[in-house]
Amino acid sequence: MSGSSGDLGFLSLALLGGALKASTPFLLVGLGECLTEKSGRVNIGLEGTLLLGAVASYGTCYTTGYPWLGVLAAGTVGLALGLLHSVLCSLKKVSHVAIGIALMIFGTGLAFLFGKPLIEPLAPRLQAVELGFWSSDNMVRSSLAVDPLFIVGLALAVSMSAFLNRTHLGLLVRAAGDNAKAVEAQGYSVSLIRLWATTGGGFIAGLAGASLSLYYPSGWSEALARGQGLMAIALVIFARWNPIGCIWAALIFGASGALGPALQAIGYSQGVQLLNAAPYMLTLAILIARSSANRSFSGSPLELAVLK
């Protein structure tokens, strides 16, 4: 009985630690997509942003030795791709989905090209924030060691929520996502609002790449993102287009990804391969639910469209 209790405690700590470690990229890329979609535009090209941001951050950190310069490089790459996406989507009669796919391929291709020399070299990592400093248990301390970009993500979520709900500019972003004609009638440019929102969203999503390459799992490989940029679409739906909701959604997505390794750590190996696919199954379930004609989700921007 005590062994089972010990296993359960270890599993809980492993899940908590895995969720905190794995949730940071989900949180940042989800917040970036949330800001973009709040303005009435969707960006499905964030997988390319994630990978190119990871390469830029790792390469910059390896060259300079300063991880936070790598973080800035990742954000800058995300900003550039977000700006390019916004400019292309502002053209008449272009498919937002097609532009997103094209930029995903473009970003991924550039990442693979520039990342080849970075597969073996080791760059400094971001220093963990020890939230478990109060405990003498090494397991607790290890589980509560978090990526500093997770703290940045929490601050961004709170700031974005306040911005969207309590500022005039945030109200314009929400209005552009809900009723573009009303915004234009007030003399504001919907295209300009969406340009800034998409560019800002790209910057935040780029930071997720830095989290992947400079903290967890760290390093550079072509399989680093594992579809997290695409999962951001489902995460934002799950969070009801709410920045604060993105925190809880990211933790759930992170925990789903940590379930398989956590069970392996306590000796359970049957069906672990299936459990490793939990984030993808969760994404599929959310998208299927969203596509149902009988389901509606509160918070969905009314102007979201794939063809302008």
Side-chain angles (χ1 to χ4, degrees):
M1 188 72 175
S2 60
S4 298
S5 299
D7 284 350
L8 183 59
F10 183 85
L11 178 62
S12 300
L13 279 175
L15 274 176
L16 175 62
L20 289 173
K21 286 181 175 66
S23 64
T24 305
F26 284 115
L27 174 59
L28 291 169
V29 77
L31 287 172
E33 181 62 13
C34 182
L35 179 60
T36 299
E37 291 193 15
K38 273 294 191 181
S39 72
R41 177 172 288 154
V42 65
N43 183 359
I44 67 169
L46 292 180
E47 184 79 1
T49 300
L50 208 59
L51 284 166
L52 194 55
V55 165
S57 61
Y58 197 75
T60 301
C61 184
Y62 175 70
T63 303
T64 66
Y66 294 102
W68 286 102
L69 279 180
V71 172
L72 180 61
T76 302
V77 163
L79 183 148
L81 286 178
L83 178 61
L84 180 58
H85 183 277
S86 186
V87 170
L88 292 175
C89 285
S90 66
L91 301 176
K92 293 182 178 180
K93 296 184 179 180
V94 298
S95 169
H96 293 190
V97 170
I99 294 298
I101 292 173
L103 289 181
M104 177 173 63
I105 296 170
F106 175 68
T108 301
L110 285 181
F112 289 177
L113 174 65
F114 293 119
K116 288 187 182 298
L118 298 173
I119 293 176
E120 293 185 3
L122 296 178
R125 296 181 60 190
L126 289 167
Q127 188 68 35
V129 177
E130 302 286 345
L131 298 182
F133 63 89
W134 47 269
S135 175
S136 59
D137 190 320
N138 288 333
M139 189 181 300
V140 172
R141 293 173 67 93
S142 176
S143 297
L144 295 180
V146 301
D147 183 348
L149 288 176
F150 180 74
I151 307 300
V152 172
L154 295 180
L156 281 172
V158 174
S159 300
M160 189 183 298
S161 179
F163 166 74
L164 291 171
N165 293 299
R166 299 184 182 181
T167 68
H168 179 66
L169 184 55
L171 177 61
L172 288 176
V173 171
R174 291 167 51 207
D178 286 330
N179 193 335
K181 290 183 178 179
V183 174
E184 290 174 345
Q186 293 294 320
Y188 295 101
S189 170
V190 171
S191 296
L192 186 60
I193 292 170
R194 289 175 177 169
L195 183 145
W196 284 110
T198 307
T199 303
F203 177 85
I204 297 171
L207 299 179
S211 174
L212 286 172
S213 63
L214 298 182
Y215 187 80
Y216 180 81
S218 80
W220 162 252
S221 73
E222 294 181 353
L224 193 64
R226 297 171 298 172
Q228 291 181 357
L230 291 170
M231 291 182 205
I233 307 294
L235 187 150
V236 173
I237 294 172
F238 189 65
R240 301 292 196 271
W241 291 268
N242 184 338
I244 301 298
C246 286
I247 298 173
W248 306 112
L251 288 170
I252 291 171
F253 271 76
S256 69
L259 183 58
L263 287 173
Q264 282 183 307
I266 61 173
Y268 293 96
S269 58
Q270 294 184 350
V272 168
Q273 290 80 5
L274 184 61
L275 289 174
N276 287 338
Y280 308 100
M281 292 189 290
L282 179 58
T283 301
L284 182 61
I286 292 171
L287 292 179
I288 289 174
R290 181 67 180 92
S291 66
S292 171
N294 298 320
R295 295 292 301 276
S296 62
F297 288 94
S298 60
S300 173
L302 303 178
E303 290 280 342
L304 274 182
V306 297
L307 186 65
K308 288 292 183 185

